[in-house]
Amino acid sequence: MKRTHGSVARGAFAVTALVMLLGASDAFASFKIAHWNVQSGFGKGGWAGGNAGFTPGSDCSRNAWGNGSGPLARTLVSRVKDDKAVVALTVNEAWTCATPSRIRSLLGFAAATKEVNGVAIIARHGFAGNSEVVALPKCSGGAEQRYVVRAPVYTDSARSKVVQVFATHWTGCAAEGKATVEFLQRYAYQPRSLTGDLNVKSVSDAPIAAITAKNWTDAWSKLHGKSGGQTATWNNSYGSPRGNLYKRIDYALFKTLKVRSISRFNHTGEPGAAKMADHAGIVVEYDD
């Protein structure tokens, strides 16, 4: 059937009206989930000298948190708060200075879960229900107790869509992976995201393989393959040159979602210079 100029114009008007009705940010939208091991806001010292603008350590007024105005806090604002597509931030080691409640207040987000051994979820538009915590098996008798935190996160300002967001911080053993995937599978057929410092260097290693065996996908591998994406650890004795990031241990895995992009922050700069945190953060974008 031949399309007339009038039908094309009416179609264009309808699309324009839809964009105006929904808002430019909500029409044909995606949403993002960010993750960062914030290292309590302490920052990571180095040996290269120079003025970092903060003093690494536990003084919340002088370290990278800087009472909410230091470089770590400013980065949270620029990479999370100011990117309106970011609907959730998951955090690890969120103790002492950069706590979930302080970060939520800094970002102006609607809600945050309670911190469980440094793990929490902070949501821009709030939660669609109660959060949940599952304790993981210890990797050894003297190992640290680890957890997975879940919350149903609204992905839009109208609070009409929800993604199940899971956050964790592993020691990195197979038992943790097995217990985590059992928790994830309780929410089968729902859009789900898992982010965290997993302390595992390869998706083929047993802890993550337990999850991908259930048809979960690692966002970085999906988009970039096996190379690159290092997230840890600034200013230790490893890396090339010495002190550089050298391993990818912070992950974004997903199921019943379609990934668009994944990027990092706090991943550039001179090895040996003081850093606002010893890990890079990640931001992953999914189709809404």
Side-chain angles (χ1 to χ4, degrees), residues 6 16 18 21-22 26 31 36 41 48 53 66 90 93-94 111 138 141 155 179 200 203 209 228 246 261 277 284:
T16 302
L18 177 62
L21 178 64
L22 296 177
D26 289 336
F31 67 88
W36 202 5
T90 66
E93 297 188 15
K138 290 187 177 183
T155 64
V200 178
V203 293
Y246 66 96
S261 67
V284 60

Side-chain angles (χ1 to χ4, degrees), residues 218-260:
D218 169 48
W220 186 272
S221 297
K222 175 72 173 178
L223 297 175
H224 300 289
K226 295 181 179 180
S227 62
Q230 289 81 2
T231 61
T233 306
W234 282 118
N235 295 349
N236 64 15
S237 58
Y238 302 100
S240 180
R242 184 171 69 97
N244 205 3
L245 299 175
Y246 66 96
K247 56 185 177 179
R248 183 168 75 91
I249 59 174
D250 297 86
Y251 289 84
L253 295 113
F254 64 92
K255 192 170 183 180
T256 322
L257 288 167
K258 183 178 180 180
V259 66
R260 286 192 181 188

Side-chain angles (χ1 to χ4, degrees), residues 234 245 265-270 275:
W234 282 118
L245 299 175
F265 57 92
N266 192 41
H267 65 294
T268 60
E270 180 187 0
K275 302 296 181 182

Side-chain angles (χ1 to χ4, degrees), residues 33-69:
I33 296 172
H35 167 76
W36 202 5
N37 183 328
V38 295
Q39 199 189 2
S40 301
F42 287 3
K44 183 66 178 287
W47 54 83
N51 182 13
F54 67 95
T55 302
S58 59
D59 184 339
C60 296
S61 67
R62 302 179 64 196
N63 61 19
W65 173 250
N67 283 344
S69 61

